[in-house]
Amino acid sequence: MAIQKPRGTQDFLPAVIGNWRYIEAAIRKLCAAYGFEEIRTPIFEDTGLFLRGIGETTDVVQKEMYSFPTGDKKEQTYTLRPENTASAVRAYLENKVYGQESLTKWFYMGPMFRHDKPQAGRYRQFHQFGVEVLGTQAPSADADVILMALQLFSDLGLKDLSVQVNSVGCPNCRPAYRDKLIAFFEPKKDELCEDCQSRLYKNPMRILDCKEESCKALSVGAPEIHENLCEECATHFEQVKTLLTAADVNYTVNPRLVRGLDYYTKTAFEVQYAPLGSQSAIAGGGRYDGLVEELDGPHTPAVGFAMGIERVLLALEKQGLLPEPEVEPSVFVVALGEAAQLEGFKIVHALRHDYIKASMVGENKSMKSQLKHANKTHAKYVIILGDDELARGEAILRYMETSEQETVPLAEVKARITSLVKG
Ligand code: AMP
């Protein structure tokens, strides 16, 4: 059997690239308005970065990483990035950006890799757009990134999205809450799924967002984080909510939305589009005030989010919002005879030189066959060169939309087309 693409990956052929460019253009416009600058980091990193930057107890690290030998040192491995926040923080530290500016606002776009079970909306190579704000505790930064994600969706015309927010506390208030959760789940330990049994002592908050029905049922009545936040976290959360309300965001508070790692702090949020079913999360993020320190940097509060571009495309498709393909006004030269071929070749290249889209068959085919190509390329203007026209120093200019034709002196063809295309 012929070689096929790896499972969980996709080919994006020219017919759909316009959709990607449409989203990317909207993202760049948004980031410019919000003052975010683009970064590009390597697609693979030292595996240790993700162990520490995402956390050894997460599914991503335990089950989903593509790791391979570096080929330099025995036992040292690299990993295809499963997300971009850890790499952004590594770049922030390695380039000592914290010493150059007090507030850093970055965005990125690119492929990420997770060895997960592929299904609609879940791929092994997928693309994320994400932002990171480094250097501020301000609740307004949390609100800003949430608003930014929502503005992108509303610019794209997406409807029926839901926004969920939560606070996951901080190293001051979380240990006591953790203990309460462990005490709550310990008597039910044997009934939890295998994953949750191993999460119980390492990362009990993750039990709250387990997708297994049995775990969901077992967690009914579990202690809620909101009753266990310290004053600082509670105040921060109130301020974020006040800002979101002031900006007319229709959000719900979901106490089960967790980012259960020690360096994730305070705000967590997710944007969902329910018709995507089990892969309904189209963007998610939150605060990670402890991550820069975890990676041996100075204390640097930070907040960000990541959005799955394939899922946004799926949502756009479901709502009939994909853009119409753009057709550039183009020119096609139909040349009949050897001399006409040479003249046509010169005209096509003169036009391309001025960045006007121009083409020809390049072989002496029949008029009918050349016009067929002109139609295929959606040419707006066709220049017809035959021996008779050439002998008179003329060409025929045909307007494809109306089928009208006129005669133009050869020497004026380029200027005439240029004025038609560029106005
Ligand atoms: P996360 O980094 O897990 O918080 O994911 C952020 C966003 O990336 C999610 O809301 C999804 O839209 C998208 N995403 C995560 N994993 C995948 C995947 N395997 N395939 C497609 N999109 C994904």
Side-chain angles (χ1 to χ4, degrees):
M1 177 132 102
I3 294 173
Q4 296 185 330
K5 63 184 180 315
R7 246 187 107 203
T9 66
Q10 289 174 282
D11 293 318
F12 301 108
L13 299 186
V16 300
I17 290 297
N19 299 337
W20 284 79
R21 290 168 65 145
Y22 170 68
I23 293 190
E24 286 162 8
I27 287 170
R28 288 184 192 287
K29 192 171 153 198
L30 179 84
C31 288
Y34 279 78
F36 284 74
E37 293 180 299
E38 184 172 4
I39 55 160
R40 297 184 190 192
T41 59
I43 276 172
F44 58 94
E45 297 269 3
D46 213 298
T47 302
L49 174 67
F50 302 118
L51 297 183
R52 286 165 69 191
I54 301 175
E56 300 199 29
T57 60
T58 56
D59 285 353
V60 168
V61 165
Q62 287 194 340
K63 305 180 196 158
E64 299 172 7
M65 295 210 300
Y66 283 98
S67 303
F68 52 94
T70 62
D72 296 327
K73 276 192 204 154
K74 252 198 177 158
E75 291 181 14
Q76 188 191 38
T77 60
Y78 288 140
T79 291
L80 294 180
R81 62 182 186 195
E83 53 100 66
N84 215 157
T85 300
S87 311
V89 171
R90 190 226 9 94
Y92 177 78
L93 293 174
E94 194 166 338
N95 295 284
K96 299 196 170 50
V97 180
Y98 53 87
Q100 299 153 34
E101 55 192 29
S102 57
L103 183 69
T104 298
K105 291 163 74 174
W106 282 346
F107 81 94
Y108 59 81
M109 283 191 263
M112 309 295 155
F113 306 86
R114 294 184 194 173
H115 185 266
D116 206 343
K117 216 169 154 196
Q119 62 181 81
R122 195 206 282 153
Y123 312 97
R124 290 181 170 177
Q125 174 174 332
F126 59 99
H127 296 75
Q128 283 184 340
F129 151 58
V131 305
E132 316 292 353
V133 183
L134 295 131
T136 176
Q137 312 246 22
S140 61
D142 307 46
D144 269 358
V145 297
I146 296 174
L147 289 172
M148 200 177 170
L150 297 179
Q151 183 169 332
L152 180 68
F153 296 139
S154 79
D155 279 357
L156 295 172
L158 282 173
K159 293 188 186 67
D160 305 328
L161 303 179
S162 65
V163 185
Q164 301 187 349
V165 296
N166 191 22
S167 174
V168 296
C170 72
N172 288 331
C173 48
R174 208 159 36 212
Y177 175 60
R178 237 178 88 97
D179 290 347
K180 285 190 189 175
L181 278 180
I182 294 173
F184 176 84
F185 284 112
E186 224 165 17
K188 313 169 177 198
K189 185 174 177 204
D190 296 341
E191 297 160 67
L192 291 168
C193 74
E194 213 173 291
D195 280 345
C196 284
Q197 290 193 15
S198 74
R199 285 170 183 149
L200 179 58
Y201 298 103
K202 285 191 235 155
N203 201 346
M205 284 172 76
R206 288 293 316 278
I207 302 175
L208 298 176
D209 78 344
C210 180
K211 305 284 178 273
E212 294 284 334
E213 288 305 325
S214 53
C215 296
K216 278 188 192 166
L218 289 170
S219 66
V220 172
E224 285 210 356
I225 182 82
H226 298 138
E227 284 133 32
N228 293 277
L229 291 176
C230 61
E231 207 183 318
E232 191 191 313
C233 286
T235 308
H236 192 275
F237 192 41
E238 282 311 311
Q239 288 171 332
V240 172
K241 287 190 292 182
T242 303
L243 289 164
L244 292 178
T245 305
D248 286 333
V249 175
N250 187 7
Y251 62 88
T252 52
V253 174
N254 175 2
R256 280 162 195 275
L257 182 66
V258 301
R259 297 187 89 63
L261 287 170
D262 286 349
Y263 29 86
Y264 287 110
T265 52
K266 299 180 175 142
T267 313
F269 79 96
E270 204 163 271
V271 182
Q272 299 212 355
Y273 178 54
L276 295 185
S278 61
Q279 309 304 314
S280 62
I282 57 177
R287 206 160 248 294
Y288 48 95
D289 289 347
L291 179 56
V292 181
E293 265 169 305
E294 175 65 30
L295 295 174
D296 300 328
H299 174 70
T300 310
V303 61
F305 71 77
M307 168 183 301
I309 299 185
E310 284 86 350
R311 292 193 192 167
V312 175
L313 281 167
L314 285 171
L316 288 173
E317 193 183 354
K318 271 197 186 293
Q319 298 192 18
L321 292 168
L322 289 175
E324 287 294 316
E326 264 181 49
V327 185
E328 255 183 89
S330 68
V331 184
F332 199 92
V333 176
V334 170
L336 305 162
E338 291 299 319
Q341 282 286 323
L342 187 61
E343 194 56 41
F345 178 82
K346 278 163 48 186
I347 293 174
V348 163
H349 283 275
L351 290 170
R352 288 175 179 169
H353 191 262
D354 286 355
Y355 290 93
I356 291 173
K357 189 176 169 191
S359 49
M360 67 188 291
V361 170
E363 278 177 87
N364 199 12
K365 296 258 172 79
S366 71
M367 172 93 151
K368 195 174 158 205
S369 143
Q370 293 193 45
L371 276 176
K372 221 163 122 187
H373 278 277
N375 274 322
K376 251 195 188 160
T377 62
H378 304 289
K380 196 164 175 190
Y381 311 105
V382 169
I383 297 160
I384 302 168
L385 297 171
D387 286 338
D388 293 351
E389 284 82 21
L390 275 190
R392 290 198 299 270
E394 288 173 351
I396 294 170
L397 169 58
R398 183 183 169 105
Y399 297 83
M400 293 301 273
E401 277 159 10
T402 57
S403 297
E404 278 171 48
Q405 296 195 162
E406 66 187 52
T407 305
V408 181
L410 258 185
E412 288 170 26
V413 165
K414 188 181 160 195
R416 185 92 177 87
I417 292 286
T418 305
S419 79
L420 282 170
V421 172
K422 297 197 171 171

